Amino acid sequence: MARIPSLKSLNAFPHAEEHLLKKTYSGAIVTILGLIIMFTLFVHELQFYLTTYTVHQMSVDLKRGETLPIHINMSFPSLPCEVLSVDAIDMSGKHEVDLHTNIWKLRLDRYGHIIGTEYLSDLVEKEHGAHHDHDHGHEHNDEQKKHEHTFNEDAEKMVKSVKQALENGEGCRVYGMLDVQRVAGNFHISVHGLNIFVAEKIFEGSSHVNVSHVIHDLSFGPKYPGIHNPLDETSRVLHDTSGTFKYYIKVVPTEYRYLSKKVLLTNQFSVTEYFLPIRPTDRAWPAVYFLYDLSPITVTIKEERRNFLHFLTRLCAVLGGTFAMTGMLDRWMYRLIESVTNSKTRSVLR
């Protein structure tokens, strides 16, 4: 086959110059340095390719007939477990007693060590009338006054037991999960489960109820990579005062889609906090309220990985650029050494 003369001019890889084929110490140093740089850049590009990133999208929430899981983990260092109750009410006013719940109360000593446990199967106060007495300060009728003077032995024992626990500095840790209807509502932790007269006997007034608390964890569903719950590790400690804490929470339905196509249904939330100090004329008793509302927007978070061809393009650019740079450096060092050597030779001949 005859060779085409003009084809030779298209060769992009001509033979290297003769001096570039000589092996020198400077060339070895440049080669080793170039290999180190190329290996470092290769590892960096490989990690960049293998690292996933997330893409956020928003759409209208179309979920219906589902429940909202609420995970609670809180400590009350100044209130014994015997006086604490958990109450959940949705927007319709219905008490959430028919849903699956799993709440525990742990008795704590003054140093925060667990000294006992109690399982809550029913979160709602058994006497809803007492709840209204605590919240709204309704006037007591004759039957209630009669009840005040006819304390049974169980009530007296409870008053004595709680007072002893308060003297010992006992606290309580409440943790577990509420499964409520997927509508706006609230849940609160307070002493509202006590009969109003028992509460008066124990605390001698609402101003002596210290609802200092630490929120170790509060979430509305399972956690996904990168989630931030703004109330985690929140501490609110009261000194020589009392009052009601209210947390206004906006829940945002969230779907997290993994690379494996697995979908995790959960929720994010934002929160605004408000504290209302107790006044001597107030009939309401201190509590910690969590009032939540659902956003009509769903956030979808997708895990994605960079395109393989994009990875190859970047890799070729990095390695090729490094190779060209080391070649130029090698040529420059060779010429520098050669010029220095020739200069010395000429000076000796003179």
Side-chain angles (χ1 to χ4, degrees):
M1 179 179 174
R3 297 181 179 179
I4 303 175
S6 61
L7 188 63
K8 183 179 180 181
S9 62
L10 299 177
N11 186 2
F13 307 100
H15 292 289
E17 298 177 15
E18 185 177 352
H19 70 273
L20 295 178
L21 301 177
K22 295 180 181 179
K23 295 182 179 181
T24 61
Y25 285 107
S26 62
I29 294 174
V30 171
T31 301
I32 294 173
L33 181 61
L35 290 175
I36 293 174
I37 294 174
M38 284 190 287
F39 178 76
T40 303
L41 294 177
F42 169 77
V43 172
H44 177 269
E45 288 298 323
L46 183 62
Q47 289 178 341
F48 182 73
Y49 166 70
L50 295 177
T51 302
T52 58
Y53 65 97
T54 56
V55 176
H56 292 68
Q57 298 175 341
M58 292 189 296
S59 60
V60 176
D61 184 20
L62 301 177
K63 300 182 184 68
R64 295 185 298 175
E66 299 183 6
T67 57
L68 180 67
I70 304 175
H71 300 271
I72 308 170
N73 187 355
M74 296 178 61
S75 293
F76 291 81
S78 302
L79 290 176
C81 287
E82 289 182 85
V83 301
L84 281 178
S85 65
V86 183
D87 193 2
I89 306 174
D90 65 24
M91 188 171 58
S92 65
K94 177 184 175 183
H95 283 183
E96 305 294 348
V97 295
D98 56 347
L99 298 177
H100 299 294
T101 58
N102 188 16
I103 298 290
W104 289 84
K105 290 197 297 185
L106 307 180
R107 291 176 56 203
L108 306 176
D109 61 16
R110 64 174 66 250
Y111 305 107
H113 301 144
I114 298 173
I115 55 176
T117 63
E118 178 186 353
Y119 178 70
L120 289 174
S121 58
D122 185 358
L123 303 181
V124 183
E125 296 88 55
K126 300 186 184 301
E127 297 182 16
H128 187 50
H131 171 76
H132 284 283
D133 286 338
H134 285 295
D135 282 347
H136 307 293
H138 288 171
E139 296 296 328
H140 310 312
N141 56 30
D142 294 338
E143 182 179 352
Q144 289 175 321
K145 289 182 178 180
K146 181 179 179 181
H147 182 70
E148 182 180 14
H149 297 291
T150 58
F151 269 167
N152 55 34
E153 292 183 3
D154 292 338
E156 292 289 354
K157 288 181 179 178
M158 181 180 183
V159 171
K160 184 177 180 181
S161 174
V162 173
K163 284 189 174 182
Q164 183 62 46
L166 289 171
E167 291 178 2
N168 295 337
E170 280 193 25
C172 186
R173 187 163 186 165
V174 180
Y175 80 95
M177 187 184 78
L178 295 173
D179 207 3
V180 300
Q181 293 184 358
R182 198 177 184 83
V183 295
N186 76 79
F187 67 94
H188 59 273
I189 305 174
S190 62
V191 298
H192 295 164
L194 292 175
N195 179 283
I196 183 65
F197 308 112
V198 174
E200 286 284 358
K201 284 282 187 180
I202 294 173
F203 297 104
E204 298 178 355
S206 59
S207 60
H208 297 127
V209 179
N210 189 341
V211 291
S212 296
H213 58 279
V214 178
I215 304 175
H216 305 286
D217 176 63
L218 180 70
S219 58
F220 291 81
K223 296 184 178 181
Y224 61 84
I227 190 173
H228 172 68
N229 293 323
L231 286 179
D232 287 359
E233 302 304 327
T234 297
S235 178
R236 297 293 178 264
V237 180
L238 299 176
H239 300 284
D240 301 324
T241 187
S242 185
T244 295
F245 288 91
K246 292 185 178 181
Y247 296 95
Y248 296 92
I249 297 173
K250 194 69 171 182
V251 180
V252 181
T254 303
E255 293 182 0
Y256 192 89
R257 299 179 179 271
Y258 293 90
L259 279 176
S260 60
K261 306 303 181 181
K262 177 184 175 183
V263 179
L264 177 67
L265 300 178
T266 183
N267 300 277
Q268 305 177 73
F269 69 93
S270 61
V271 62
T272 302
E273 181 182 347
Y274 180 67
F275 175 69
L276 180 64
I278 201 75
R279 294 176 297 181
T281 57
D282 288 341
R283 287 283 189 171
W285 285 66
V288 180
Y289 283 87
F290 297 90
L291 303 97
Y292 56 88
D293 190 14
L294 286 158
S295 170
I297 300 299
T298 294
V299 175
T300 301
I301 305 174
K302 293 182 180 180
E303 283 187 349
E304 293 190 1
R305 182 169 288 165
R306 292 163 182 85
N307 187 277
F308 181 70
L309 292 179
H310 185 222
F311 164 68
L312 286 181
T313 303
R314 289 175 60 95
L315 189 62
C316 289
V318 167
L319 298 184
T322 305
F323 187 79
M325 181 188 69
T326 54
M328 292 176 60
L329 182 61
D330 183 26
R331 180 181 299 181
W332 178 81
M333 291 184 65
Y334 177 82
R335 289 179 176 177
L336 178 64
I337 294 174
E338 188 178 49
S339 63
V340 171
T341 303
N342 292 337
S343 176
K344 288 182 178 180
T345 302
R346 286 195 295 269
S347 62
V348 170
L349 292 175
R350 290 177 183 175

